[in-house]
Amino acid sequence: MLRARGTGRCPGGRWQEQSLATPNYAYEKRQRELAKKRKAEEKRQRKQRDAQTPAQPEGGAPAPAPGSEPAG
């Protein structure tokens, strides 16, 4: 127990305690678990959405056939 400086007593006559904040590990762990679940759910939804739409290369143009020369 830590006491105030001087006589060791506060004006009220009781010992004065100074406590430090302690980390709440259970809360932090729960937040990590929720973030992990949220990330997994987003990934699952993204995979489901990608499976429903046909794969197209970026830009919307069809990919050139292998062995063909580019036009231009």
Side-chain angles (χ1 to χ4, degrees):
M1 172 167 43
L2 299 175
R3 292 181 274 175
R5 289 187 156 182
T7 63
R9 292 188 175 265
C10 63
R14 290 181 269 162
W15 293 101
Q16 183 177 0
E17 268 188 50
Q18 297 176 351
S19 62
L20 298 175
T22 56
N24 188 347
Y25 294 113
Y27 176 79
E28 292 175 5
K29 181 178 180 182
R30 178 72 176 142
Q31 293 303 308
R32 283 193 307 268
E33 290 173 352
L34 289 173
K36 193 183 291 187
K37 284 182 181 181
R38 193 176 321 117
K39 186 176 179 182
E41 178 65 20
E42 289 171 359
K43 185 176 182 180
R44 185 190 66 77
Q45 288 177 354
R46 189 170 51 246
K47 281 187 173 186
Q48 186 178 17
R49 186 175 358 115
D50 290 346
Q52 291 174 352
T53 59
Q56 291 183 354
E58 291 183 19
S68 65
E69 294 190 24

